[in-house]
Amino acid sequence: MTGLGGLNPSPTALTLGLVQQQVPLIMSMADVDATTDRVCAQLREAKAGFAALDLVVFPEYSLHGLRKSSWASDEVMCDMDGPQVERLRTACRESNVWGCFSIMERNPGGAPFNSGIIVDDQGEIALYVRKLHPWTPKEPWEPGDIGLPVCPGPKGSVLSLLICHDGMFPEVAREASYRGANVLLRTAGYKFPLRQSWRITNEANAFHNLAYTASVCLAGEDGNGIPSMGEAMVCDFEGTIVERGDSTPDRVVTVSIEPTRADAARREWGVENNIYQLGHRGYTALAGGAQDCPYTYVRDLAAGTYRVPWEDEVRIVDGTSEGYGPPRRPSSPTDTARAGLRGE
């Protein structure tokens, strides 16, 4: 099914290039600009060397790196209408290929957003998302506020983007799939301690939703002795790993998949068609199945009353253990978390 890693794609296959990008070391906006140019060059080179590529996926933090000292600076943040995004769009248009990218987005109303975009082969932004679940307490980013969009992609795909920690929540993958996504992209900066969790969630998100998952992390050292893991991975809709990378920085892992096969499974499967069966419980016994909501956490979350039984015993509920300042109050636009990194 992978066509020798995408070397022999069928006419209906979506051919992906997952870039295990070397962790960039960012200290200034000049570094962000240089890294943006490098990402654009990698995209162009990948497409020139592998003409079958339909979509090139870069990891989370591919422009901004993983150093908290740079995260503290507003100077290095990007804007959706800024020059960095424009260069990414131009690279896709000039190379006639889709691209998936990560930016840390300036936010005048609080902390920056950890955002992702999918750009089509004409250079237009087809999908724009803000990370719903920042990796607390490690990350200082504002929680996403625009939901989880999906977009039509090449070769019969419907794409979504789960940014790193979002993929650890089965609810996020389910939301994307419920909205029609048959290919769940996942970008991350994860390091090796997360390798097992990375694998099982990529597999489970695929199987639970009868979707393909295509995921990739940064790779290599950033000076702290704990390297990012690379570990590009593609799972089919049965949850089987069909292509897997390694820890080699800047390796482009390629694969061809058939999104329409996931669509067929969703329409034709009986046993384990769980994304359908969630809302049609016991349809063998009851016509149409039960369509109530038996899940307390779903009802409470919707009502704004979500509270785990051990709520009062949770020890870490802000980022101060990681050197951040206190979180901002909902009524305040002042980013107090990153101010802690700056000693304010």
Side-chain angles (χ1 to χ4, degrees):
M1 185 176 64
T2 70
L4 291 180
L7 288 171
N8 297 297
S10 72
T12 57
L14 173 69
T15 302
L16 302 168
L18 306 174
V19 183
Q20 298 179 167
Q21 183 189 341
Q22 167 67 47
V23 183
L25 303 181
I26 303 300
M27 300 296 290
S28 66
M29 182 52 84
D31 295 331
V32 174
D33 282 328
T35 303
T36 302
D37 291 339
R38 182 167 174 262
V39 166
C40 291
Q42 286 179 297
L43 180 137
R44 292 186 174 101
E45 291 165 2
K47 179 62 175 177
F50 205 123
L53 286 178
D54 296 303
L55 170 61
V56 183
V57 182
F58 288 86
E60 181 193 33
Y61 292 113
S62 56
L63 300 190
H64 286 88
L66 297 173
R67 292 190 171 185
K68 287 182 181 179
S69 57
S70 66
W71 294 354
S73 173
D74 284 326
E75 177 197 347
V76 302
M77 299 299 140
C78 292
D79 299 301
M80 283 296 295
D81 59 355
Q84 296 78 27
V85 172
E86 181 60 31
R87 295 209 290 276
L88 298 171
R89 293 176 60 186
T90 298
C92 289
R93 182 177 65 252
E94 291 179 349
S95 296
N96 194 34
V97 69
W98 289 59
C100 178
F101 308 103
S102 164
I103 65 168
M104 302 303 117
E105 181 191 358
R106 196 184 324 275
N107 174 22
F113 292 103
N114 182 335
S115 299
I117 56 174
I118 297 175
V119 178
D120 70 17
D121 56 0
Q122 301 304 302
E124 299 299 323
I125 296 176
L127 183 145
Y128 161 51
V129 66
R130 291 168 171 171
K131 189 175 186 177
L132 289 173
H133 296 273
W135 193 35
T136 53
K138 298 287 186 180
E139 293 178 333
W141 315 124
E142 199 79 14
D145 60 355
I146 56 175
L148 196 70
V150 303
C151 71
K155 304 296 180 63
S157 63
V158 180
L159 305 173
S160 68
L161 174 55
L162 282 59
I163 302 177
C164 195
H165 192 49
D166 283 349
M168 295 295 187
F169 293 84
E171 295 83 0
V172 177
R174 175 57 52 83
E175 169 71 5
S177 301
Y178 184 73
R179 298 189 67 177
N182 56 20
V183 178
L184 310 181
L185 305 178
R186 185 182 184 189
T187 59
Y190 278 143
K191 297 176 180 293
F192 277 101
L194 274 296
R195 192 181 190 200
Q196 169 70 357
S197 302
W198 173 253
R199 179 184 66 80
I200 62 175
T201 50
N202 291 337
E203 293 172 332
N205 287 339
F207 176 65
H208 288 162
N209 298 294
L210 297 183
Y212 288 92
T213 58
S215 313
V216 66
C217 295
L218 291 171
E221 292 279 359
D222 66 351
N224 63 13
I226 306 175
S228 294
M229 64 184 183
E231 199 71 15
M233 183 179 299
V234 177
C235 301
D236 69 12
F237 51 88
E238 295 187 13
T240 302
I241 298 173
V242 296
E243 195 70 49
R244 189 170 188 171
D246 53 13
S247 59
T248 304
D250 289 331
R251 177 184 170 189
V252 181
V253 177
T254 58
V255 63
S256 289
I257 59 176
E258 298 275 356
T260 56
R261 293 188 63 200
D263 295 339
R266 289 172 170 180
R267 295 187 179 100
E268 298 167 8
W269 278 22
V271 173
E272 301 299 341
N273 191 350
N274 298 317
I275 186 170
Y276 172 80
Q277 292 173 6
L278 179 69
H280 302 82
R281 296 185 296 114
Y283 65 63
T284 300
L286 177 67
Q291 297 181 26
D292 62 319
C293 178
Y295 305 107
T296 304
Y297 87 93
V298 175
R299 296 195 301 267
D300 288 353
L301 189 63
T305 58
Y306 184 93
R307 182 179 175 86
V308 294
W310 55 94
E311 187 95 10
D312 293 334
E313 300 169 30
V314 176
R315 292 175 48 243
I316 298 176
V317 295
D318 60 29
T320 55
S321 63
E322 294 292 324
Y324 297 114
R328 72 174 182 87
R329 296 294 180 184
S331 60
S332 171
T334 303
D335 174 12
T336 49
R338 289 188 308 145
L341 295 180
R342 297 190 291 263
E344 299 174 5

